[in-house]
Amino acid sequence: MTRSRMALAFGERLDLALMVGESPPPLTGAMVVPQDVHLILGDTGPIEDTQETPEQVLAVPGVVRPRRPGSVVVGASPEGGPLLLQAIVYDFDRSPPARDIHVFEALIAAFEEARARGIRSVAVQPLGTAHSGLDPERFLALLAQVCYSSAEMETTVRHVHLLLASPLELGRYEALLRALADKRTRADRRP
């Protein structure tokens, strides 16, 4: 696992760090991964309480119930890893398949779920940036906005780790994070 030396602090309450790897760092309480409305991405299945009785579920066999874009499906990670939060950010029946508002809502829902469970460390894979979706710059801006809001609202989350697929992607996100930090600094200096 390669960790960037660059991180962004949101006051003294929360920090956002970049790293390369598929697995989150030790002691991570939740991992947020991208998912589509039909739950076809990845190899994990949902575990959720739909509040339906077995009779209600069996009464509608074969009906596909797409999830609402912007929501989160709570699942279990293999081998007792962190809580898996599947962010519903893709709908392949639409163009583009991912939208800002759905990524933003899913991030808020994931942070809320983490807060409700008292989780202090969250790993996030880029949401909505694949399949001709959002630009990485836009995703990072949305993630930073949610981190800032969460820090202001005194969330339990203290560490956010953005998990990236390669050193090349790490370099790109470091440049984007640096630009975002510079933009924040300039905004703070304005009278």
Side-chain angles (χ1 to χ4, degrees), residues 23-42:
S23 301
L27 304 179
T28 298
M31 184 157 160
V32 183
V33 299
Q35 186 56 271
D36 81 305
V37 296
H38 299 291
L39 303 176
I40 59 172
L41 296 177

Side-chain angles (χ1 to χ4, degrees), residues 2-22:
T2 304
R3 184 182 294 259
S4 173
R5 287 185 248 160
M6 174 129 201
L8 190 58
F10 298 89
E12 295 179 15
R13 297 187 180 126
L14 193 145
D15 62 76
L16 170 62
L18 308 175
M19 56 186 42
V20 175
E22 290 183 17

Side-chain angles (χ1 to χ4, degrees), residues 2-147:
T2 304
R3 184 182 294 259
S4 173
R5 287 185 248 160
M6 174 129 201
L8 190 58
F10 298 89
E12 295 179 15
R13 297 187 180 126
L14 193 145
D15 62 76
L16 170 62
L18 308 175
M19 56 186 42
V20 175
E22 290 183 17
S23 301
L27 304 179
T28 298
M31 184 157 160
V32 183
V33 299
Q35 186 56 271
D36 81 305
V37 296
H38 299 291
L39 303 176
I40 59 172
L41 296 177
D43 57 357
T44 58
I47 298 174
E48 64 177 323
D49 183 4
T50 62
Q51 302 296 323
E52 295 174 306
T53 66
E55 292 79 20
Q56 290 171 319
V57 172
L58 292 173
V60 194
V63 174
V64 177
R65 295 182 215 164
R67 301 304 198 272
R68 185 184 66 75
S71 63
V72 169
V73 175
V74 178
S77 287
E79 301 162 16
L83 180 71
L84 183 65
L85 301 175
Q86 297 178 75
I88 310 300
V89 296
Y90 292 110
D91 184 348
F92 296 113
D93 292 331
R94 295 181 181 175
S95 183
R99 299 197 170 141
D100 288 19
I101 187 65
H102 300 143
V103 170
F104 182 71
E105 289 174 348
L107 284 167
I108 288 173
F111 274 63
E112 264 305 302
E113 187 69 34
R115 185 198 60 73
R117 294 171 182 259
I119 293 172
R120 298 180 56 83
S121 181
V122 175
V124 180
Q125 293 178 349
L127 303 179
T129 60
H131 314 292
S132 301
L134 274 61
D135 289 328
E137 180 178 12
R138 186 65 190 133
F139 163 70
L140 189 58
L142 292 170
L143 178 59
Q145 185 177 356
V146 172
C147 287

